[in-house]
Amino acid sequence: MRVPLSWLREYVDLPATETGRDVQAKLISAGLEVETVEQLGHDLKGPLVVGQVLTIEELEGFKKPIRFCTVDVGRANGTGEPQEIVCGARNFAVGDKVVVVLPGATLPGGFSIAARKTYGKVSHGMICSSDELGMGDDGSKGIIVLPPETEVGRDAIELLELVDEVLDIAVTANRGDCLSIRGVARETAIAYGLPLRDPALLDVPAPNAFGYPVKISEPLGCDRFTARTVSGLRPEARSPIWLQRRLQKVGMRPISLAVDVTNYVMMELGQPLHAYDRKLVQGTIGVRRAEEGEKIVTLDGVERKLHAEDLVITDERGPIGLAGVMGGADTEIADLPQALDSARAGGTPVDAEGATTDVVIEAAHFDAVSIARTARRHKLSSEASRRFERGVDPQAASAAAQRTVDLLVLLAGGTADAGVTEVIAPSAPHTITVPADHPDRVAGVTYGRETVVRRLQEIGCDVYGQDELIVTVPSWRPDLLEANDLAEEVIRLEGYENLPSTLPKPPSGRGLTHRQRLHRRVGRALAGAGYVEAPNYPFVSEQVFDQLGLDADDPARRVVRLVNPLSDEEPALRTSLLPGLLGALRRNDGRGSHDLALFETGLVFHPRAERPVAGHVPVDRRPTDEEIAALDAALPEQPRHVAVVLAGAREQAGWWGKGRPADWADAIEAARAVAREAGADLVVRKGQYGPWHPGRCAELVVVADGAEQVVGHAGELHPRVLKALGLPGRTCAMELDLDALERAGDDTPQAPGISTFPVATQDVALVVDKPVPHAEVEAALREGAGELLEAIRLFDVYENAEQLGDGKKSLAYALRFRAGDRTLTVDEASAARDAAVALAAERTGAVLRG
């Protein structure tokens, strides 16, 4: 909601020294989100004056039409002589009053004006459009043409109200009253402790039997409908400058007088209105639910097929408007002044007989939920629907209709018909009973009864009672439903910043759980290895499993589907972290970041074999342990996983060397880093699963309770997966079940053993078949070497068909032997090495090279 400070001052006598920034601070303290204060015209410098076009000469020989004009600006130029100006606009004629900026002035944006030669003429200034003056769109698509009665030479800065401050307020969903100048003025008056001149306090005639006939068939959707009629409007009447400028400042485009007046009153009072051309309305105006399949052409020119839940305004022909959202084209107000301007600029001749002279004004109150559903169903959000969705003051309808009638009579010379129609469904004001000290107990501050009563009365409540207060909520605050809402009002008006800050005192000996500490260690370890954390939403499309190449019976395809997903394209909860991480990698790669290493830790979701239905948990007491356990049993299983994805360079090239691309080994090393943090022994062996390349996939295994358990996979992704997901070549990935790793591990800190005896190193090079995994050879060597083996390291892989034979490779290992109680002899070290080689030969067919 944009609120001009000049408009706000009409209803609250703010001190003259108060700026928009001062008002912003006060309103923020009162709980309104004032995002910015726009300084209109702060860089505008005159002379900017009203001029009258005396002559127009069409200049020939240029690519676009150019006019050389002489303009009377009075004594504003110091000489009284006509001002010569070159202009390319076509929407004005001789005798029109226009806005002229003279040499020496500065327009918004720092654009300085000086006499200059252009198109063979010297232009002494410029005839201005609304965009050039920072006014916004006025619908003219050309320069500003002022009313004929405007005085030549008058200061246009003052006339057009170009200097102002506008507060931009982000109105929350529960404060529909602040989608109006009236509502913001009320909050401002409370914040400053000043009286409010309520613009809705008008003398409104009582309803009678002579008003326009209205029939409400759906009182639950429309509990109040006011109709007023104005006749004899001057067809040529235009919106005055002050009204157009106020609409532009709040972000609306002037259209025509009748429409501008209804928009003006809506912004002023917060009550949406609609004006119908009376001669186009046939018979009684009605409000009902649409019939399935009915159609209507709305004011935006779109034909819409109606739903049976849509609330519509009708006449005897059928729907003539979507209630609370947008009117229909069949009863649209004809804009004669705009048509006249179009004709003067060379458009279609005007038929003055079709101009609107009699209008029916509608001011109604509609059900918020119904309007919200209609607006979303038709993807048609309007200023009216925004207000009805958030709550409109039903008591303001008659005042808004009267205000509209008064302005039309004043500005268009119309006559207000004596008939007044009001159809009202009986209702009682909302009353809340609240202890007087309830705000004190909520805030932890002693306000006292007097302060509570005063603050509630300031927002418009009627308050009675002593220790137990009976509070009648004002009609403009439908969001006040219970005692806590009233407590919030007291607290925000007394100032959130005045609430004391009391830090909780946790009992000693408590901190992060074991699981939380592990998650943090894993995150730090991966970040230290160069990975960037990339959290993702836990929602997936089931089509992604096809893209990942999962088998039809893969357990990961069993998903938990959401009843009300955020997006219909992703209706399921994830069973793997890879879809989200690979999507993040694809987006970053597409934006020019090609060297990527991302990780995520998060929950995945697996449906239980039996799917119990969760019961309703009570809200008037603490649930019992059994009720909580039943609720937990209905939830899906939610293990925590950790995953990484890599693409591009793992080590950058530079003066130090060529660098290195990321490969499958980096993904496996990430898994080992996670296992080290969990204190688990990770077995890496050849595997094949889903998205990974069959020849470059490692199966990750741990031993828990004496049994092996596959906890994840790592390696390079399959080319088909890369193509399906649009990923860069050679992308690698790893995913582990972190909870399973935690159960298998022991992360109790172990102090390193330091021996005083020397190490004995033995190197062996074994020739094996190429398909034999290094992990199997290493496992055999480790077991065969026995307890004297301290460490083993693969330091070379060699392939040469001439020396080794076809299909062979050489794996060279460094074995470190040490005894804890003596210095090993050469024979002992050699015997351990030979035992290791013998077992490797037995299990893998390894042959000692050379």
Side-chain angles (χ1 to χ4, degrees):
M1 176 69 190
R2 290 170 57 85
V3 180
L5 190 59
S6 59
W7 198 349
L8 196 62
R9 288 182 182 275
E10 283 199 6
Y11 310 125
V12 183
D13 289 327
L14 294 172
T17 56
E18 287 294 287
T19 66
R21 298 287 186 193
D22 299 328
V23 177
Q24 177 189 28
K26 285 281 190 179
L27 293 180
I28 289 176
S29 179
L32 293 187
E33 299 179 20
V34 185
E35 295 187 328
T36 59
V37 178
E38 185 178 350
Q39 307 287 335
L40 299 182
H42 71 283
D43 53 353
L44 177 64
K45 176 185 174 184
L48 187 73
V49 298
V50 175
Q52 184 172 21
V53 180
L54 300 178
T55 65
I56 298 176
E57 176 188 350
E58 301 289 345
L59 302 182
E60 305 293 339
F62 300 102
K63 293 182 179 180
K64 60 180 181 178
I66 298 296
R67 302 166 124 189
F68 181 65
C69 311
T70 59
V71 185
D72 178 14
V73 295
R75 302 292 301 179
N77 57 4
T79 65
E81 296 295 324
Q83 201 80 2
E84 296 179 336
I85 299 175
V86 175
C87 184
R90 312 290 299 175
N91 66 314
F92 65 99
V94 172
D96 282 347
K97 302 290 180 63
V98 295
V99 178
V100 178
V101 58
L102 300 176
T106 303
L107 294 182
F111 183 57
S112 298
I113 302 299
R116 65 189 185 96
K117 187 172 183 180
T118 180
Y119 297 103
K121 301 286 187 178
V122 177
S123 181
H124 298 274
M126 187 169 71
I127 301 175
C128 298
S129 69
S130 59
D131 284 340
E132 290 163 340
L133 296 179
M135 296 169 56
D137 183 13
D138 64 353
S140 67
K141 295 182 174 58
I143 60 96
I144 303 168
V145 178
L146 300 172
E149 64 272 13
T150 311
E151 179 187 353
V152 172
R154 181 177 175 181
D155 183 359
I157 295 177
E158 178 185 352
L159 174 69
L160 300 177
E161 302 177 12
L162 296 178
V163 178
D164 202 349
E165 294 181 275
V166 179
L167 285 71
D168 193 350
I169 304 175
V171 179
T172 53
N174 66 318
R175 292 304 305 272
D177 61 306
C178 288
L179 285 173
S180 66
I181 303 296
R182 178 196 184 201
V184 177
R186 182 181 294 110
E187 291 295 318
T188 305
I190 295 172
Y192 278 91
L194 296 171
L196 169 70
R197 288 189 291 276
D198 191 342
L201 295 180
L202 300 174
D203 291 330
V204 179
N208 53 56
F210 309 107
Y212 198 94
V214 173
K215 179 182 179 181
I216 307 298
S217 303
E218 183 62 37
L220 294 179
C222 177
D223 57 7
R224 182 180 292 263
F225 195 106
T226 300
R228 299 289 298 276
T229 307
V230 181
S231 306
L233 300 178
R234 296 196 313 273
E236 73 280 3
R238 300 172 182 265
S239 300
I241 292 174
W242 64 266
L243 192 149
Q244 294 188 44
R245 287 297 295 132
R246 286 194 169 177
L247 290 178
Q248 287 174 327
K249 288 177 184 179
V250 298
M252 303 191 76
R253 180 173 65 86
I255 298 173
S256 65
L257 177 59
V259 176
D260 291 350
V261 167
T262 58
N263 285 337
Y264 176 85
V265 175
M266 176 180 66
M267 303 308 295
E268 182 180 56
L269 301 182
Q271 168 66 52
L273 302 107
H274 190 71
Y276 301 93
D277 189 328
R278 185 173 183 176
K279 67 177 179 293
L280 299 179
V281 180
Q282 298 180 13
T284 301
I285 291 178
V287 181
R288 62 170 172 82
R289 298 291 177 182
E291 296 177 6
E292 192 69 43
E294 276 188 309
K295 295 182 179 179
I296 184 176
V297 178
T298 46
L299 289 173
D300 56 359
V302 177
E303 183 180 73
R304 302 182 185 277
K305 186 176 180 181
L306 300 178
H307 187 275
E309 291 185 2
D310 290 336
L311 198 64
V312 293
I313 311 297
T314 64
D315 64 5
E316 64 183 25
R317 297 167 298 178
I320 59 173
L322 271 176
V325 181
M326 185 174 286
D330 290 344
T331 56
E332 182 178 7
I333 300 292
D335 184 12
L336 180 62
Q338 188 176 28
L340 288 170
D341 291 341
S342 176
R344 292 174 59 196
T348 306
V350 180
D351 179 14
E353 294 183 1
T356 299
T357 57
D358 302 337
V359 297
V360 179
I361 305 300
E362 165 211 310
H365 184 263
F366 300 111
D367 176 62
V369 174
S370 177
I371 301 305
R373 287 176 175 172
T374 297
R376 283 155 179 74
R377 188 179 297 119
H378 294 282
K379 296 181 174 59
L380 185 62
S381 178
S382 64
E383 291 289 345
S385 68
R386 286 183 63 220
R387 284 160 176 78
F388 280 122
E389 289 173 20
R390 289 161 174 79
V392 169
D393 181 3
Q395 302 294 335
S398 56
Q402 182 63 46
R403 177 74 164 136
T404 304
V405 169
D406 293 343
L407 286 172
L408 288 175
V409 170
L410 174 67
L411 302 176
T415 301
D417 291 1
V420 177
T421 302
E422 275 197 15
V423 181
I424 303 174
S427 63
H430 182 54
T431 300
I432 302 172
T433 301
V434 56
D437 63 345
H438 183 65
D440 301 9
R441 289 187 281 113
V442 171
V445 176
T446 303
Y447 293 122
R449 179 187 178 280
E450 290 186 5
T451 298
V452 171
V453 172
R454 174 172 57 84
R455 288 302 190 184
L456 293 178
Q457 289 175 339
E458 284 178 346
I459 64 173
C461 296
D462 290 330
V463 185
Y464 302 96
Q466 292 298 320
D467 295 337
E468 196 84 0
L469 301 180
I470 300 174
V471 181
T472 302
V473 174
S475 59
W476 56 83
R477 290 299 303 273
D479 59 305
L480 301 181
L481 301 175
E482 57 167 351
N484 286 333
D485 297 329
L486 300 179
E488 182 183 1
E489 293 299 299
V490 174
I491 295 168
R492 76 174 179 87
L493 294 177
E494 284 295 307
Y496 291 121
E497 68 276 10
N498 296 323
L499 293 177
S501 297
T502 305
L503 294 176
K505 296 180 180 179
S508 60
R510 295 193 181 181
L512 298 177
T513 64
H514 179 272
R515 191 184 192 210
Q516 290 170 330
R517 289 196 299 270
L518 173 61
H519 298 163
R520 291 197 178 188
R521 289 201 309 272
V522 167
R524 284 195 294 266
L526 291 175
Y531 292 86
V532 176
E533 187 171 16
N536 294 282
Y537 287 116
F539 312 116
V540 295
S541 164
E542 293 181 73
Q543 286 76 17
V544 76
F545 301 128
D546 296 327
Q547 296 171 322
L548 291 176
L550 299 185
D551 294 337
D553 59 348
D554 194 298
R557 285 184 177 270
R558 295 182 61 246
V559 297
V560 178
R561 294 183 61 87
L562 299 172
V563 175
N564 187 22
L566 291 179
S567 169
D568 292 336
E569 296 179 357
E570 295 180 330
L573 291 175
R574 66 189 178 190
T575 56
S576 167
L577 300 182
L578 289 184
L581 270 181
L582 293 174
L585 185 141
R586 179 181 63 249
R587 287 191 298 274
N588 283 276
D589 181 73
R591 294 167 184 168
S593 299
H594 303 303
D595 302 325
L596 296 162
L598 309 177
F599 84 93
E600 179 181 8
T601 60
L603 301 179
V604 298
F605 305 85
H606 298 290
R608 298 181 185 272
E610 297 181 359
R611 300 188 180 184
V613 178
H616 292 288
V617 178
V619 295
D620 58 341
R621 59 176 173 80
R622 184 189 183 280
T624 64
D625 293 342
E626 292 76 14
E627 289 170 332
I628 295 175
L631 187 65
D632 287 338
L635 297 176
E637 296 178 1
Q638 302 175 51
R640 183 173 290 270
H641 281 202
V642 57
V644 305
V645 293
L646 305 100
R650 185 64 176 139
E651 295 176 4
Q652 295 293 329
W655 57 266
W656 53 84
K658 295 181 179 180
R660 181 178 65 81
D663 61 15
W664 56 268
D666 295 303
I668 295 174
E669 182 55 34
R672 287 196 172 108
V674 173
R676 283 194 295 270
E677 296 299 329
D681 293 326
L682 191 68
V683 178
V684 179
R685 64 192 184 198
K686 182 180 179 180
Q688 182 174 343
Y689 177 70
W692 280 276
H693 194 296
R696 297 167 186 162
C697 174
E699 186 176 73
L700 308 174
V701 179
V702 295
V703 177
D705 299 327
E708 287 189 349
Q709 180 182 358
V710 177
V711 294
H713 294 82
E716 183 180 314
L717 297 182
H718 198 288
R720 283 197 300 268
V721 174
L722 302 183
K723 183 178 180 180
L725 294 175
L727 300 171
R730 300 283 185 174
T731 297
C732 301
M734 176 278 292
E735 183 166 11
L736 278 172
D737 184 336
L738 193 53
D739 286 352
L741 206 62
E742 179 185 7
R743 291 190 295 269
D746 179 9
D747 58 357
T748 303
Q750 298 290 333
I754 301 176
S755 175
T756 59
F757 298 100
V759 66
T761 301
Q762 296 277 349
D763 294 345
V764 294
L766 302 178
V767 177
V768 296
D769 294 335
K770 284 186 178 180
V772 175
H774 140 69
E776 293 183 10
V777 178
E778 180 182 319
L781 289 173
R782 189 182 297 277
E783 182 179 345
E787 61 182 15
L788 292 180
L789 181 67
E790 182 180 78
I792 182 172
R793 179 175 63 89
L794 175 70
F795 66 86
D796 185 48
V797 178
Y798 178 69
E799 296 180 6
N800 188 310
E802 294 182 1
Q803 297 185 18
L804 303 177
D806 292 336
K808 299 291 185 178
K809 65 181 178 182
S810 170
L811 304 177
Y813 295 89
L815 287 73
R816 292 167 56 90
F817 299 98
R818 194 195 313 256
D821 57 350
R822 67 189 187 281
T823 299
L824 291 177
T825 65
V826 174
D827 292 340
E828 287 177 310
S830 298
R833 180 202 63 187
D834 293 342
V837 171
L839 188 58
E842 178 184 338
R843 290 187 176 176
T844 66
V847 177
L848 195 63
R849 181 181 170 191

